[in-house]
Amino acid sequence: MGEFICETCGTQFAGSAVPPGHCPICVDERQYVGWGGQAWTTHGRLQSRYRLRIEEDDGLLAFGVPAGFAIPQRALLLPTDAGNILWESVSLVTDEALRAIKARGGATRIVISHPHFYASMVEWSEALGGVPILLHAADRAWVQRPSPRIEFWEGDTHRLSGSVELIRCGGHFPGSTALHWKNGPRPGGALFSGDALQVVQDRRHVSFMYSYPNFIPLPPGEVRGMRGRLVGVDFEDVYGYSWGLNIIGGGRAAVNDSFERYLRAVAS
Ligand SMILES: [Zn+2]
Ligand SMILES: [Zn+2]
């Protein structure tokens, strides 16, 4: 009996005697099955294979499995007035990471943008003392390891404190969520956009894809809907999904320009 982890997307599944027949997240057209066919590992095997990368990413403590395993997202610890939030999840939990979080006062909850980053979320929750995991209800069907720690929220916004609000962006997944931190980590605030709005390589723009690995753009209507849900949301910085993929300074203007640029490109 083990909780198998998909090697290509990094998602941990509910315990089973033999590995699942396939990974629904990788079979979906937003992802892909590894070129060598479906492969599985376990948390124990990851612990002996990798050391978690623990570093600051533009001023925030960050955790990521080293390049070469699954999707290279990193999780961030956000010290907010809603407590320390672990934003996103990765496939591996280590004692070193738990010590680093504990040294900063622990974490009160885990919030995840969308199913590609669910990873080993239940493993993380239990290791942090059974903290709640907040997911958008629209993506409920993608949860592969159910747990009483998971709390689903509904609607377009969910306020966690005076300065922290979750915003359903939709698009990439119906429940794709961004976290808005009004006055942190720097005074102008930041949007943590997962890949609903993906910070691109020039780090001055974002883009909007249904599938990033398979290059399937989002229809203009979806992107206009996202733009509407972000009206009145101000921020200086945009934190993308992976290490260093952030827009530091001028983030709101960069997002506005990116909406215009994208809609010009696809809606002519
Ligand atoms: Zn997978
Ligand atoms: Zn994704």
Side-chain angles (χ1 to χ4, degrees):
M1 196 78 173
E3 285 99 6
F4 290 94
I5 294 176
C6 172
E7 287 262 4
T8 306
C9 69
T11 306
Q12 188 180 47
F13 283 61
S16 57
V18 294
H22 68 281
C23 169
I25 290 170
C26 287
V27 168
D28 177 62
E29 65 181 357
R30 281 165 285 202
Q31 247 286 110
Y32 60 93
V33 176
W35 293 7
Q38 179 64 53
W40 300 97
T41 187
T42 62
H43 191 257
R45 270 183 262 158
L46 286 183
Q47 277 180 320
S48 53
R49 221 163 103 193
Y50 294 107
R51 189 166 172 203
L52 206 60
R53 179 177 169 189
I54 305 174
E55 284 172 38
E56 296 253 325
D57 189 12
D58 280 315
L60 292 167
L61 186 63
F63 308 91
V65 182
F69 177 78
I71 304 170
Q73 83 269 21
R74 48 95 180 92
L76 297 166
L77 189 70
L78 314 182
T80 76
D81 62 352
N84 285 344
I85 298 171
L86 188 67
W87 168 246
E88 312 288 26
S89 168
V90 298
S91 300
L92 173 62
V93 189
T94 65
D95 289 343
E96 200 183 356
L98 295 172
R99 273 197 301 274
I101 293 172
K102 212 170 178 181
R104 296 182 186 218
T108 56
R109 53 168 78 79
I110 300 168
V111 185
I112 304 179
S113 63
H114 76 298
H116 288 151
F117 302 157
Y118 289 174
S120 294
M121 58 181 175
V122 176
E123 205 82 45
W124 274 98
S125 165
E126 298 302 340
L128 290 167
V131 298
I133 303 166
L134 263 65
L135 306 178
H136 197 282
D139 297 337
R140 183 191 294 261
W142 294 99
V143 171
Q144 306 301 330
R145 185 180 172 189
S147 160
R149 309 298 182 200
I150 299 172
E151 295 177 2
F152 294 101
W153 66 278
E154 295 180 23
D156 283 349
T157 57
H158 184 61
R159 181 159 287 286
L160 298 183
S161 70
S163 74
V164 180
E165 187 172 46
L166 308 183
I167 301 164
R168 187 191 72 84
C169 294
H172 179 53
F173 275 82
S176 275
T177 293
L179 183 150
H180 181 230
W181 184 7
K182 197 169 70 177
N183 54 7
R186 285 165 287 276
L191 188 73
F192 298 82
S193 63
D195 61 6
L197 298 78
Q198 183 163 131
V199 176
V200 296
Q201 288 299 319
D202 68 10
R203 301 197 300 176
R204 300 306 312 152
H205 294 86
V206 295
S207 194
F208 316 93
M209 290 270 165
Y210 180 69
S211 169
Y212 289 96
N214 302 321
F215 304 111
I216 309 173
L218 278 176
E222 292 271 357
V223 176
R224 286 194 194 99
M226 197 185 304
R227 184 171 62 178
R229 288 189 284 277
L230 289 170
V231 166
V233 179
D234 286 322
F235 46 88
E236 268 299 305
D237 304 330
V238 183
Y239 280 80
Y241 84 100
S242 199
W243 298 96
L245 210 54
N246 308 317
I247 300 173
I248 302 302
R252 181 68 241 199
V255 166
N256 293 346
D257 289 350
S258 303
F259 276 123
E260 294 300 323
R261 182 171 89 163
Y262 184 90
L263 290 167
R264 262 199 317 275
V266 300
S268 56

